[in-house]
Amino acid sequence: MTGKDTSPATDARTDATNIVPDQDANRSTTPSSERFRQYIASGWAEREEVVPALREQAPFAAARREKLSATHAGERIIVAAGALKQRSNDTEYPFRAHTAFSWLTGWGSDSEPDAVLVMAPLDTPGIDGLSHTATLYFRERAGRDSDEFYANSTIGEFWIGPRPSLAQVAADLGIATVDLSELSPEDLALAELPLSEDLARDLSEMRLVKDEWEIAEMRKAIAATALGFADIARVLPSIAGNVRGERLVEGAFSSRARLEGNGVGYDTIAASGAHACILHWTTNDGTVNDGDLILIDAGVELDSYYTADITRTIPVSGTFSPVQRDVYEAVRAAADAAFAIVKPGIRFKDIHAAAMAVIAEKTAAWGMLPVSAEEAKLPDNQHHRRYMVHGTSHHLGLDVHDCSQARRDMYMDGILEPGMIFTIEPGLYFQPDDLTVPAEFRGIGVRIEDDILVTATGAENLSAGIPRTADEVEKWVRPMNA
């Protein structure tokens, strides 16, 4: 665990008012006398131990552990939540448990750092057919008679609030719990290592198809993200002209993300003007000018860690210029063509091909390609990809780029199944110094990204409620500019 050692410093004096400097941090002092220790440990009201009901996702997490158990019979499986990570000196980044740990336990933003899930193999399957027993190890809260209670700024209750007991977590998650101090040295050593390649691959592939509870969480994350985009549309007119106005856009969305969930699922992209041509622009220090487009790629992450990933490109003034509208509608046509083919049984990579066919046709029609659209689409050519170098889709869930360690034949070459959730996000990016495009196109960047659920008969655009067409976007933003 990172951070300073905040155990009380020793001193020969016993005056209860004695305060001695913390030897590892000049900014604070820690009481150290025995009288103080006795006093701070006494006089507390009896704490009621409220044991929670089983949380909604617990049965789903149990089913995931069963599936993993069946594929790794006889193996000892250890999945760690991870530790706090140092940001600077004695401050840490906000803790986020490892995705695999969260998926297998159902523990989200309330996870305890350093927790470890151990799935121990049984010599013979139990009466329920399981071949492993699951135990969750974590550091239980300290009693008020301990120094940790008041002196440890990393985990002490005075500093970060009360932590759960073993009994509370066992009831909450439906998993046997044991104090972390009882984890064997061998298991502890394994917990500090990355997941094995085989285990990471299997867990990624198991997450490709979402269960009922996961789909419901994704709907909630997308609904919360829609509120964030509505907040941006509402404040955008007042942001126009502000130096570093992109950060005001980012801040408006971040406020909603913190209100509705755990925070943002990834660094928000708020890219105005030519910054929209930089695919992962997260510096967000540009001015938001009337007449420009602003590309906003953002998603709310819930307390369960499930995140949306949505992009909209908006005219700051509320109205697209003719060229901006042409580019925008070309991108939307590519997105719609990709969505139109989504159904169980097709290959994931076919979605990209459908979008790229439209991109090739549009850029050829604008005279940007040295060959025809058909020639550009040949594998050895791909001239149109100059204006969209990224892929069209990625899986989505607990990670914004979910299931990334799955094998190619399960992911890119995989067959779509009901319950899969992924993005469709074509774009066109005309760099401001690109001499292959007409001057009026230069500096325009557009992306439209939606989150798609594969159903039994086709697909559902989960984010379709956020305005998508050029007309819808103008109607959405224009009243704010009145």
Side-chain angles (χ1 to χ4, degrees):
M1 177 167 296
T2 59
K4 67 181 185 303
D5 178 3
T6 53
S7 58
T10 58
D11 193 277
R13 293 168 293 176
T14 58
D15 181 0
T17 62
N18 176 46
I19 304 293
V20 296
D22 184 325
Q23 301 303 310
D24 293 323
N26 290 324
R27 69 176 181 83
S28 64
T29 57
T30 304
S32 67
S33 72
E34 187 58 34
R35 288 181 189 176
F36 176 83
R37 292 174 183 172
Q38 292 175 0
Y39 186 65
I40 198 170
S42 64
W44 300 103
E46 194 71 27
R47 191 190 330 238
E48 183 182 3
E49 178 82 349
V50 178
V51 177
L54 190 71
R55 65 175 63 184
E56 183 183 4
Q57 62 264 47
F60 293 94
R64 298 166 197 158
R65 293 194 298 274
E66 290 179 20
K67 187 175 181 180
L68 182 63
S69 174
T71 59
H72 288 261
E75 299 178 22
R76 192 171 188 83
I77 301 169
I78 297 176
V79 180
L84 288 167
K85 293 180 175 62
Q86 185 180 26
R87 183 178 184 273
S88 65
N89 190 25
D90 59 349
T91 63
E92 291 86 20
Y93 288 103
F95 177 70
R96 189 188 191 281
H98 192 286
T99 293
F101 176 89
S102 182
W103 191 70
L104 290 168
T105 63
W107 226 355
S109 65
D110 54 343
S111 299
E112 285 293 314
D114 302 313
V116 179
L117 173 68
V118 176
M119 294 177 60
L122 297 169
D123 293 334
T124 58
I127 57 173
D128 51 8
L130 297 182
S131 58
H132 289 79
T133 58
T135 306
L136 184 57
Y137 293 81
F138 70 95
R139 185 182 295 105
E140 188 175 23
R141 65 182 177 213
R144 286 168 168 167
D145 57 347
S146 74
D147 292 346
E148 177 193 300
F149 171 59
Y150 65 90
N152 190 317
S153 64
T154 303
I155 60 175
E157 185 173 329
F158 254 41
W159 297 85
I160 66 168
R163 305 200 321 276
S165 69
L166 295 173
Q168 287 172 326
V169 173
D172 187 13
L173 301 180
I175 307 176
T177 55
V178 176
D179 191 83
L180 185 63
S181 62
E182 298 186 37
L183 185 65
S184 72
E186 295 79 13
D187 285 350
L188 182 60
L190 290 172
E192 293 173 349
L193 298 175
L195 294 179
S196 70
E197 185 176 330
D198 288 350
L199 182 58
R201 177 201 65 211
D202 290 349
L203 287 167
S204 276
E205 292 174 0
M206 288 177 184
R207 298 203 324 270
L208 284 167
V209 176
K210 271 52 180 179
D211 60 38
E212 175 187 345
W213 184 82
E214 291 179 292
I215 293 171
E217 287 297 287
M218 290 300 298
R219 291 186 186 277
K220 293 175 188 176
I222 291 163
T225 299
L227 294 175
F229 273 93
D231 291 343
I232 291 171
R234 186 170 57 253
V235 302
L236 192 57
S238 65
I239 290 173
N242 278 274
V243 175
R244 307 221 306 184
E246 290 173 345
R247 294 202 176 174
L248 297 176
V249 172
E250 176 188 349
F253 188 86
S254 295
S255 294
R256 177 62 66 175
R258 288 292 284 166
L259 177 64
E260 302 290 338
N262 187 43
V264 293
Y266 52 94
D267 288 343
T268 297
I269 296 170
S272 186
H275 285 164
C277 299
I278 302 171
L279 300 181
H280 283 176
W281 174 257
T282 56
T283 307
N284 298 344
D285 64 352
T287 303
V288 177
N289 293 312
D290 274 332
D292 283 344
L293 302 178
I294 182 166
L295 185 157
I296 304 155
D297 187 333
V300 172
E301 176 186 89
L302 301 182
D303 287 318
S304 62
Y305 291 158
Y306 287 84
T307 184
D309 181 8
I310 296 166
T311 305
R312 291 293 184 266
T313 306
I314 301 171
V316 175
S317 66
T319 304
F320 290 99
S321 72
V323 174
Q324 290 171 344
R325 176 178 276 265
D326 284 347
V327 176
Y328 186 93
E329 288 293 81
V331 172
R332 185 173 69 87
D336 290 350
F339 178 75
I341 72 165
V342 177
K343 63 180 179 180
I346 73 162
R347 291 195 181 276
F348 185 73
K349 65 182 181 183
D350 292 342
I351 302 168
H352 177 70
M356 287 300 95
V358 175
I359 296 297
E361 291 160 8
K362 295 294 183 179
T363 52
W366 289 326
M368 298 176 183
L369 305 183
V371 297
S372 69
E374 288 305 312
E375 290 175 297
K377 285 186 284 185
L378 295 174
D380 289 340
N381 289 331
Q382 301 291 296
H383 299 83
H384 56 295
R385 295 298 306 278
R386 177 184 179 114
Y387 314 109
M388 182 185 153
V389 297
H390 63 78
T392 302
S393 300
H394 60 79
H395 282 267
L396 183 65
L398 279 168
D399 290 335
V400 65
H401 293 156
D402 210 25
C403 313
S404 60
Q405 290 168 291
R407 289 166 292 183
R408 181 180 177 87
D409 60 350
M410 296 289 288
Y411 194 122
M412 191 58 64
D413 295 330
I415 302 299
L416 296 194
E417 298 179 43
M420 287 182 170
I421 296 178
F422 48 76
T423 65
I424 290 181
E425 50 176 308
L428 281 168
Y429 313 92
F430 301 121
Q431 303 295 334
D433 58 350
D434 189 342
L435 301 181
T436 69
V437 301
E440 62 269 24
F441 285 86
R442 296 174 198 164
I444 293 177
V446 173
R447 181 163 65 252
I448 303 171
E449 179 179 21
D450 286 290
D451 300 343
I452 311 301
L453 168 67
V454 181
T455 66
T457 57
E460 178 184 354
N461 184 344
L462 299 175
S463 50
I466 304 174
R468 293 184 70 254
T469 70
D471 288 344
E472 289 171 345
V473 170
E474 287 184 339
K475 185 177 179 181
W476 181 37
V477 180
R478 195 178 292 152
M480 311 299 178
N481 285 270

